[in-house]
Coordinates of all heavy atoms in Angstrom, one line a residue:
G858 N 86.9 -163.2 -59.0 CA 86.4 -164.2 -58.0 C 85.8 -163.4 -56.8 O 84.8 -163.9 -56.1
S859 N 86.4 -162.3 -56.4 CA 85.8 -161.6 -55.3 C 84.4 -161.1 -55.5 O 83.6 -161.0 -54.6 CB 86.8 -160.5 -54.9 OG 86.7 -159.5 -55.8
F861 N 82.3 -162.6 -57.2 CA 81.3 -163.7 -57.2 C 81.2 -164.0 -55.6 O 80.1 -164.4 -55.3 CB 82.0 -164.9 -57.9 CG 81.6 -165.1 -59.3 CD1 82.2 -164.3 -60.2 CD2 80.7 -165.9 -59.6 CE1 81.8 -164.3 -61.5 CE2 80.3 -166.1 -61.0 CZ 80.9 -165.3 -62.0
G862 N 82.2 -163.8 -54.8 CA 82.1 -163.9 -53.4 C 81.1 -162.9 -52.8 O 80.2 -163.3 -52.0
V863 N 81.2 -161.7 -53.3 CA 80.2 -160.7 -52.8 C 78.7 -161.2 -53.2 O 77.8 -161.1 -52.4 CB 80.4 -159.3 -53.4 CG1 79.3 -158.3 -53.2 CG2 81.8 -158.8 -52.9
L865 N 77.6 -164.1 -53.8 CA 77.2 -165.2 -53.1 C 76.6 -164.7 -51.7 O 75.6 -165.1 -51.2 CB 78.3 -166.2 -52.8 CG 77.9 -167.4 -52.0 CD1 76.9 -168.2 -52.7 CD2 79.3 -168.2 -51.9
V866 N 77.3 -163.8 -51.0 CA 76.8 -163.3 -49.8 C 75.5 -162.5 -49.9 O 74.6 -162.8 -49.1 CB 77.9 -162.3 -49.2 CG1 77.4 -161.6 -47.9 CG2 79.2 -163.0 -48.9
F869 N 72.6 -165.1 -50.2 CA 72.1 -165.6 -48.9 C 71.3 -164.5 -48.2 O 70.3 -165.0 -47.6 CB 73.3 -166.1 -48.1 CG 74.0 -167.3 -48.5 CD1 75.3 -167.5 -48.9 CD2 73.2 -168.4 -48.6 CE1 75.9 -168.6 -49.2 CE2 73.7 -169.7 -48.9 CZ 75.1 -169.8 -49.4
A908 N 78.0 -162.2 -40.7 CA 79.1 -161.8 -41.6 C 79.1 -160.3 -41.9 O 80.2 -159.8 -42.3 CB 78.7 -162.6 -42.9
L913 N 85.4 -161.7 -41.7 CA 85.6 -163.1 -41.9 C 87.1 -163.5 -41.6 O 88.0 -162.8 -41.9 CB 85.3 -163.6 -43.3 CG 83.7 -163.3 -43.7 CD1 83.6 -163.8 -45.1 CD2 82.8 -164.2 -42.7
R925 N 91.6 -171.2 -52.1 CA 91.4 -170.2 -53.1 C 90.0 -169.7 -53.0 O 89.6 -168.5 -53.1 CB 91.8 -170.6 -54.5 CG 93.3 -170.8 -54.7 CD 93.6 -170.9 -56.1 NE 93.0 -172.2 -56.6 CZ 93.6 -173.4 -56.7 NH1 94.8 -173.5 -56.1 NH2 93.0 -174.4 -57.3
I926 N 89.0 -170.5 -53.0 CA 87.6 -170.2 -52.8 C 87.3 -169.4 -51.6 O 86.6 -168.4 -51.7 CB 86.7 -171.5 -52.8 CG1 86.8 -172.2 -54.1 CG2 85.2 -171.1 -52.5 CD1 86.1 -173.6 -54.2
W927 N 87.8 -169.8 -50.4 CA 87.6 -169.0 -49.2 C 88.2 -167.7 -49.3 O 87.7 -166.7 -48.9 CB 88.1 -169.8 -48.1 CG 87.9 -169.1 -46.8 CD1 88.9 -168.4 -46.0 CD2 86.6 -168.8 -46.1 NE1 88.3 -167.7 -44.9 CE2 86.9 -168.0 -45.0 CE3 85.3 -169.0 -46.3 CZ2 85.9 -167.5 -44.1 CZ3 84.4 -168.6 -45.5 CH2 84.7 -167.9 -44.4
S928 N 89.4 -167.6 -49.9 CA 90.1 -166.3 -50.0 C 89.4 -165.4 -50.8 O 89.2 -164.1 -50.5 CB 91.6 -166.6 -50.6 OG 92.2 -165.4 -50.8
A929 N 88.8 -165.9 -52.0 CA 88.0 -164.9 -52.9 C 86.7 -164.5 -52.2 O 86.3 -163.4 -52.3 CB 87.7 -165.7 -54.1
F930 N 86.1 -165.4 -51.4 CA 84.9 -165.2 -50.7 C 85.2 -164.1 -49.8 O 84.5 -163.1 -49.5 CB 84.3 -166.4 -50.1 CG 83.1 -166.2 -49.3 CD1 81.8 -166.3 -50.0 CD2 83.1 -165.9 -48.0 CE1 80.6 -166.2 -49.2 CE2 82.0 -165.8 -47.2 CZ 80.7 -165.9 -47.8
R931 N 86.2 -164.3 -48.9 CA 86.5 -163.4 -47.9 C 87.0 -162.0 -48.4 O 86.4 -161.0 -47.8 CB 87.7 -163.9 -47.1 CG 88.2 -163.1 -45.9 CD 89.2 -163.8 -45.1 NE 89.7 -163.1 -43.9 CZ 90.8 -162.3 -44.0 NH1 91.7 -162.3 -45.0 NH2 91.2 -161.7 -42.9
K932 N 87.7 -162.0 -49.5 CA 88.1 -160.7 -50.0 C 86.9 -159.9 -50.5 O 86.8 -158.8 -50.4 CB 89.1 -160.9 -51.2 CG 89.6 -159.6 -51.9 CD 90.6 -159.9 -53.0 CE 91.0 -158.6 -53.5 NZ 92.0 -158.9 -54.7
G933 N 86.1 -160.7 -51.3 CA 84.8 -160.1 -51.8 C 83.9 -159.5 -50.7 O 83.4 -158.4 -50.9
W934 N 83.8 -160.3 -49.6 CA 82.9 -159.7 -48.6 C 83.5 -158.5 -47.9 O 82.7 -157.6 -47.5 CB 82.7 -160.8 -47.6 CG 81.8 -160.4 -46.4 CD1 82.2 -160.4 -45.1 CD2 80.6 -159.9 -46.5 NE1 81.0 -159.9 -44.3 CE2 80.0 -159.6 -45.2 CE3 79.7 -159.5 -47.6 CZ2 78.8 -159.1 -44.8 CZ3 78.4 -159.0 -47.3 CH2 78.0 -158.8 -46.0
E935 N 84.8 -158.5 -47.7 CA 85.5 -157.2 -47.1 C 85.3 -156.1 -48.0 O 85.1 -154.9 -47.5 CB 86.9 -157.5 -46.9 CG 87.1 -158.6 -45.8 CD 86.4 -158.3 -44.4 OE1 86.4 -157.1 -44.0 OE2 85.8 -159.2 -43.9

Side-chain angles (χ1 to χ4, degrees):
S859 71
F861 273 74
V863 170
L865 181 62
V866 173
F869 282 124
L913 297 177
R925 289 193 296 271
I926 292 174
W927 178 254
S928 177
F930 180 89
R931 181 171 179 265
K932 181 180 178 181
W934 181 236
E935 292 308 315

